[in-house]
Amino acid sequence: MLHLNVFLFGCGHHRAAWCHPDSAAERLGDIAWYESLARTAERGKLDAVFFADGHSAGAFGMGSDGPLWYLEPLTMLSAMARATERIGLVSTVSSTFFTPFHAARMLASLDHISGGRMGWNVVTSMFDAEARNHGFEAMPDHAWRYARAEEFVEAVLRLWDSWDDNALIVDRRAGDYVRPGAVRRIDHRGEHFRVDGPLTVPRPPQGHPVMFQAGASEQGRDLAARYAEAIYAVAYDLPSAQAYYRDVKRRVRAAGRRDPVPIMPGLVTYVGSTEAEARAKQAELDALLPTESSLRQLQTFIDQDCMDWDLDAPVPPLPPLDAFKGPKGRYATILRIIDTERPTLRQLLGRLAAGGGHCTMVGTPEQIADRMEQWLREGGADGFNLMPPSLPHSLDDFIDQVVPVLQARGLFRRDYEAGTLRGHLGLARPVRKT
Amino acid sequence: MLHLNVFLFGCGHHRAAWCHPDSAAERLGDIAWYESLARTAERGKLDAVFFADGHSAGAFGMGSDGPLWYLEPLTMLSAMARATERIGLVSTVSSTFFTPFHAARMLASLDHISGGRMGWNVVTSMFDAEARNHGFEAMPDHAWRYARAEEFVEAVLRLWDSWDDNALIVDRRAGDYVRPGAVRRIDHRGEHFRVDGPLTVPRPPQGHPVMFQAGASEQGRDLAARYAEAIYAVAYDLPSAQAYYRDVKRRVRAAGRRDPVPIMPGLVTYVGSTEAEARAKQAELDALLPTESSLRQLQTFIDQDCMDWDLDAPVPPLPPLDAFKGPKGRYATILRIIDTERPTLRQLLGRLAAGGGHCTMVGTPEQIADRMEQWLREGGADGFNLMPPSLPHSLDDFIDQVVPVLQARGLFRRDYEAGTLRGHLGLARPVRKT
């Protein structure tokens, strides 16, 4: 059984999606727009909707040529919880910029509001511009951020456990609202935080809102192995997905855990009734890309002048990875795209503008279902975090055309069987640690 | 014209309200319960609903003999915004525990979600138990907190002004989402914060969500005079309300401001078709008070043994204020209640258990409207922050019985004339500071 989340992002994950005449570019501040997307995802019986988060305008490749950023995710998800009934709701929360008490309280509150459907994707944040909005001179280094993240997670989990599940007795005659001894301080003292507790909110319906992680670095994978209950991954193709999958599942077992920890790589899809129609949808978005700024961006990625290259000719050969002096990750992705897809320059710009290093599947519902099934059966994924290149169209296409094929093959639920996100993901409700 | 807010708090402001057989004590974690209260308030055309906030379980007199605390207000208000159409939504936000960027972003997001109906009540927080949930060893001193609050407010206002009102142009052909130069950094550097900006959210529909303040101290009054657009006050009777009103309006003028700055003292009401019926409602709640713990609390307030006093006999005379060595504020209130109401011991415990030093009005709708009108006409108030002793009953009584009398007298709106909280309160939309 696949798990499917959808990563909602602006007008879609394609950087030029907002320029499409049908885009909702004017509605990015309109909560009804997000509610309608959540209802679409719920119609498709998806496990969850997911929001990334950034603390500076222009983070995550959003910039002056497109939407900078929009509503704050925790406040959005409360409204979206009331517009839906079953689908999970996952927000990114930065352990670098929040205190554990704020995070634990808001997430617990949202878990009550949504009736047990909240998840939190723990990130340590990355940009100096974000740090400078919260009092830092620059982003603290990676090791410091991960040490803080681990202490942050520990404190949050203990705050959620500071109330017994059955703490509320509401005995009007005796005058006892809470069972004596059922709400306790946690007295956390660590390197980064002092948190006495208890939390101001009773234990969440799920015990703990589901913890997601998306770390790709060594420290990120270790944090995920020890704490994450579900993982968002980046995998360009099946071999790289399999390598990541094996590594993280091994780390989870090495950490002594038996939880399923579903791994969901990001997935960009263009769906058509024929492969040609699907490719035409992709080309339509690619054609909206601002050529000059896209070329300038590519120039920084590959560290050579490409402003005069022919947009509709194949990308010329690039030097091998070893010879490249800049950041290797993205350059390796570009080499692989060129190697496997033989794209024109315009097609390469389009691929980089929609999901970057994530997997892209273009084709008929059956073709896409085939590849998803292969990833599932061959140890590359337990599901996918859908990254629709345009909203609502790419999401509608997936829900209306691909989901029925997956359902017919018995690979995806026909209806919700559980009432909580934890239930959708097959995760046990955590017992309170005493 | 009166302004009426309602301060939603647990099962009501009477400490024993949860023990009433009809109370919603089991529903304090149920967002539908808060939505229904907001709809009731909207039915009565009130200006706004308001939540206090505390960062420790048991703050604000909630304790082991009653509800400790519940859902987090910013997440609650997002859902409540979607359950209502016109009423304002005010959340307390602590300047001691948030960063300006978090506060500005969440409040701006909520102002977009609610279509311009958000307000924020700036507090500096007060309890050591709260500070110890956010990394402090103890609550920082009063002067430090107010200095931080002032810098916090300045940074938040500048973040809201970091986007021009017409920043979004969404020109698909030109590829311009934002008007060039319409989104700017603020580069705030102060004693307490570094905030580069810009905000990640476009300027709120109201320009700035409405700023409320409730400070009673010298520094609190000065902060209110310089920044507050509406004020929640504490006034036991009309003379003390008039003294506060005169003082704060004078400070507002001295700060060079011409805004109306409506002042709304807290108001506890017991409404009945006869005065006797109203008094019976009050007595019914008072009878639910746990005698022993209430007496023990009174003992600390008056610093003498009262455990053996007769509950149904008048309170014996107490030493004058000058002779009292403990905290004077509450003791002065107790002396005034004894002096003006000649209560039995049980009645005194009830008065202290519902709103403490706030004004209490008990009577028929006409009697209560008379007194509210007197406060309005004689310079004691521009409106009231209703503190229903029990929910939903005391709120229903006020909305269904007192509001129509106020409307018939032309003292309160028959329907909303504005779509924003700012509009309800008669406040101008702030022009962006350049």
Side-chain angles (χ1 to χ4, degrees):
Chain A
M1 275 285 285
L2 284 166
H3 295 289
L4 295 176
N5 290 16
V6 58
F7 177 1
L8 299 179
F9 185 75
C11 295
H13 287 267
H14 195 295
R15 204 156 56 88
W18 74 273
C19 295
H20 193 279
D22 292 347
S23 84
E26 288 83 1
R27 296 191 65 194
L28 293 182
D30 177 0
I31 189 67
W33 157 247
Y34 300 96
E35 290 169 348
S36 75
L37 294 173
R39 283 197 205 96
T40 299
E42 189 169 70
R43 174 161 57 80
K45 315 298 179 194
L46 267 50
D47 296 68
V49 298
F50 162 64
F51 284 117
D53 192 24
H55 289 259
S56 65
F60 295 97
M62 292 179 142
S64 58
D65 62 346
L68 300 169
W69 199 263
Y70 247 87
L71 301 176
E72 187 281 329
L74 296 170
T75 48
M76 270 202 278
L77 286 173
S78 178
M80 292 163 73
R82 298 299 287 158
T84 54
E85 291 179 2
R86 305 292 284 273
I87 195 165
L89 308 154
V90 184
S91 178
T92 294
V93 175
S94 169
S95 58
T96 301
F97 302 136
F98 279 89
T99 67
F101 196 83
H102 279 307
R105 193 162 80 115
M106 290 199 169
L107 289 163
S109 187
L110 285 165
D111 207 47
H112 284 280
I113 288 170
S114 65
R117 295 187 283 137
M118 275 302 293
W120 61 311
N121 174 43
V122 186
V123 301
T124 66
S125 302
M126 48 196 310
F127 299 112
D128 286 341
E130 299 178 87
R132 291 183 184 131
N133 283 331
H134 286 287
F136 297 92
E137 293 298 309
M139 187 56 84
D141 70 46
H142 195 262
W144 185 92
R145 298 204 312 270
Y146 272 86
R148 178 177 161 116
E150 178 157 354
E151 194 188 323
F152 186 98
V153 167
E154 280 287 352
V156 167
L157 297 177
R158 291 187 62 205
L159 283 168
W160 287 332
D161 285 350
S162 64
W163 291 60
D164 283 354
D165 281 313
N166 59 358
L168 301 185
I169 50 173
V170 192
D171 184 337
R172 289 170 168 80
R173 276 166 191 279
D176 288 327
Y177 188 80
V178 168
R179 189 184 308 280
V183 182
R184 280 167 304 270
R185 289 165 55 148
I186 67 166
D187 288 324
H188 173 88
R189 301 279 187 288
E191 278 295 301
H192 296 85
F193 307 109
R194 171 185 179 144
V195 195
D196 279 11
L199 196 59
T200 49
V201 180
R203 196 160 192 256
Q206 294 184 103
H208 306 159
V210 179
M211 184 183 152
F212 288 70
Q213 232 277 317
S217 68
E218 279 297 305
Q219 280 167 300
R221 291 182 191 208
D222 273 341
L223 186 71
R226 266 173 297 147
Y227 295 102
E229 301 182 276
I231 291 174
Y232 295 135
V234 181
Y236 169 73
D237 54 16
L238 181 53
S240 64
Q242 289 165 326
Y244 180 87
Y245 190 98
R246 275 193 306 272
D247 179 63
V248 170
K249 295 277 178 171
R250 184 186 55 71
R251 289 179 200 238
V252 169
R253 284 192 305 275
R257 296 175 60 201
R258 293 170 170 222
D259 317 303
V261 191
I263 295 177
M264 292 170 277
L267 176 60
V268 177
T269 56
Y270 296 92
V271 186
S273 57
T274 63
E275 192 177 323
E277 186 188 308
R279 294 214 176 277
K281 287 183 181 178
Q282 184 180 26
E284 188 188 6
L285 285 181
D286 289 352
L288 296 171
L289 270 180
T291 316
E292 201 184 310
S293 73
S294 303
L295 283 173
R296 254 202 309 276
Q297 192 189 50
L298 179 63
Q299 197 156 276
T300 68
F301 292 168
I302 63 175
D303 195 25
Q304 56 174 288
D305 190 346
C306 57
M307 298 302 286
D308 295 328
W309 292 359
D310 182 349
L311 277 166
D312 295 306
V315 179
L318 294 179
L321 189 59
D322 292 350
F324 184 71
K325 300 286 176 242
K328 305 252 182 210
R330 180 141 36 195
Y331 190 72
T333 300
I334 291 170
L335 291 183
R336 273 193 298 182
I337 294 173
I338 294 173
D339 194 41
T340 55
E341 304 179 26
R342 309 274 166 205
T344 64
L345 179 57
R346 195 190 299 277
Q347 286 169 334
L348 176 64
L349 297 179
R351 285 284 283 101
L352 294 174
H358 289 275
C359 179
T360 298
M361 298 184 186
V362 189
T364 65
E366 290 72 21
Q367 287 173 322
I368 289 174
D370 286 348
R371 288 187 65 194
M372 292 174 74
E373 183 167 2
Q374 186 188 16
W375 284 50
L376 175 70
R377 302 227 184 268
E378 296 181 10
D382 299 307
F384 294 91
N385 191 20
L386 305 175
M387 298 169 63
S390 78
L391 289 168
H393 302 297
S394 307
L395 178 60
D396 284 335
D397 288 349
F398 190 93
I399 298 295
D400 295 333
Q401 299 176 50
V402 183
V403 164
V405 176
L406 297 171
Q407 287 170 331
R409 295 184 188 184
L411 294 171
F412 192 61
R413 67 175 72 84
R414 287 181 185 275
D415 204 354
Y416 291 109
E417 286 157 20
T420 65
L421 174 56
R422 208 163 264 290
H424 303 332
L425 293 169
L427 301 169
R429 188 175 187 280
V431 175
R432 201 184 69 74
K433 281 185 197 151
T434 45
Chain B
M1 274 285 285
L2 285 166
H3 295 289
L4 296 176
N5 290 14
V6 58
F7 177 2
L8 300 179
F9 184 77
C11 295
H13 286 268
H14 195 295
R15 204 156 56 88
W18 74 273
C19 296
H20 193 279
D22 292 346
S23 85
E26 288 84 2
R27 296 193 64 196
L28 292 184
D30 177 0
I31 189 67
W33 156 248
Y34 299 96
E35 290 169 348
S36 74
L37 294 173
R39 282 198 205 96
T40 299
E42 189 169 67
R43 173 162 55 82
K45 315 301 178 192
L46 266 51
D47 296 68
V49 297
F50 161 66
F51 284 117
D53 192 24
H55 289 259
S56 66
F60 295 96
M62 291 180 143
S64 58
D65 62 346
L68 299 170
W69 198 263
Y70 245 88
L71 301 176
E72 186 283 327
L74 295 170
T75 48
M76 269 202 279
L77 286 173
S78 179
M80 292 162 73
R82 298 300 287 157
T84 54
E85 291 178 3
R86 303 293 286 272
I87 195 164
L89 308 154
V90 184
S91 178
T92 294
V93 175
S94 168
S95 57
T96 301
F97 301 136
F98 279 90
T99 67
F101 196 83
H102 279 307
R105 193 161 81 115
M106 291 199 168
L107 289 164
S109 188
L110 285 166
D111 206 47
H112 284 281
I113 288 170
S114 65
R117 295 187 282 138
M118 275 302 293
W120 61 312
N121 174 42
V122 186
V123 301
T124 66
S125 302
M126 50 197 308
F127 299 112
D128 287 341
E130 299 179 88
R132 291 181 184 134
N133 282 331
H134 286 286
F136 298 91
E137 293 298 307
M139 186 55 82
D141 70 45
H142 196 264
W144 185 93
R145 298 203 313 271
Y146 271 86
R148 178 178 161 115
E150 177 157 355
E151 195 188 324
F152 186 97
V153 168
E154 280 287 352
V156 167
L157 297 178
R158 291 188 61 205
L159 283 168
W160 286 333
D161 285 350
S162 64
W163 292 60
D164 283 353
D165 281 312
N166 59 358
L168 302 183
I169 51 174
V170 192
D171 184 337
R172 289 172 168 80
R173 279 166 189 277
D176 288 328
Y177 188 80
V178 168
R179 187 185 309 280
V183 181
R184 281 166 305 269
R185 289 165 54 153
I186 66 167
D187 289 324
H188 173 88
R189 304 279 187 286
E191 279 295 302
H192 296 85
F193 308 110
R194 171 186 180 144
V195 194
D196 280 12
L199 196 59
T200 50
V201 181
R203 196 159 192 256
Q206 296 184 101
H208 306 159
V210 179
M211 185 184 152
F212 288 70
Q213 233 275 320
S217 68
E218 278 296 305
Q219 280 166 300
R221 291 182 191 209
D222 273 340
L223 187 71
R226 263 172 299 147
Y227 295 103
E229 301 181 274
I231 291 174
Y232 295 135
V234 181
Y236 170 74
D237 53 18
L238 181 53
S240 64
Q242 288 164 326
Y244 179 87
Y245 190 97
R246 273 193 307 270
D247 178 63
V248 171
K249 296 275 178 172
R250 184 186 56 73
R251 288 178 199 240
V252 169
R253 283 191 306 273
R257 297 175 60 203
R258 292 170 172 223
D259 317 306
V261 192
I263 295 176
M264 293 170 277
L267 176 59
V268 177
T269 56
Y270 295 92
V271 186
S273 57
T274 61
E275 190 178 326
E277 187 188 308
R279 295 213 175 276
K281 287 182 181 178
Q282 183 179 27
E284 188 187 7
L285 284 181
D286 289 352
L288 297 170
L289 271 179
T291 316
E292 201 184 309
S293 73
S294 302
L295 283 173
R296 256 202 308 274
Q297 194 190 50
L298 179 62
Q299 196 155 277
T300 68
F301 293 166
I302 62 175
D303 196 27
Q304 59 175 284
D305 190 346
C306 57
M307 300 303 285
D308 294 329
W309 292 0
D310 183 347
L311 278 166
D312 295 304
V315 179
L318 294 180
L321 188 59
D322 292 349
F324 185 69
K325 297 286 173 242
K328 304 252 180 209
R330 179 141 36 198
Y331 191 72
T333 300
I334 291 171
L335 290 184
R336 273 191 298 182
I337 295 173
I338 295 173
D339 193 41
T340 55
E341 303 179 25
R342 310 272 165 205
T344 63
L345 179 56
R346 195 190 298 278
Q347 285 168 334
L348 175 64
L349 297 179
R351 284 286 282 101
L352 294 174
H358 289 275
C359 178
T360 298
M361 298 184 185
V362 190
T364 66
E366 289 71 21
Q367 286 174 321
I368 289 174
D370 286 347
R371 287 187 65 192
M372 291 175 75
E373 184 168 0
Q374 186 189 16
W375 283 51
L376 175 70
R377 303 225 183 269
E378 297 180 10
D382 299 306
F384 295 91
N385 191 20
L386 305 175
M387 299 169 63
S390 78
L391 288 168
H393 302 298
S394 307
L395 178 60
D396 285 335
D397 287 349
F398 190 91
I399 298 294
D400 295 334
Q401 298 176 52
V402 183
V403 164
V405 175
L406 297 171
Q407 288 170 331
R409 295 185 188 183
L411 294 172
F412 192 60
R413 68 176 70 84
R414 287 181 184 274
D415 203 354
Y416 291 109
E417 285 157 23
T420 65
L421 175 56
R422 209 164 264 292
H424 303 332
L425 292 169
L427 300 169
R429 188 174 187 280
V431 174
R432 202 185 68 74
K433 279 187 199 151
T434 44

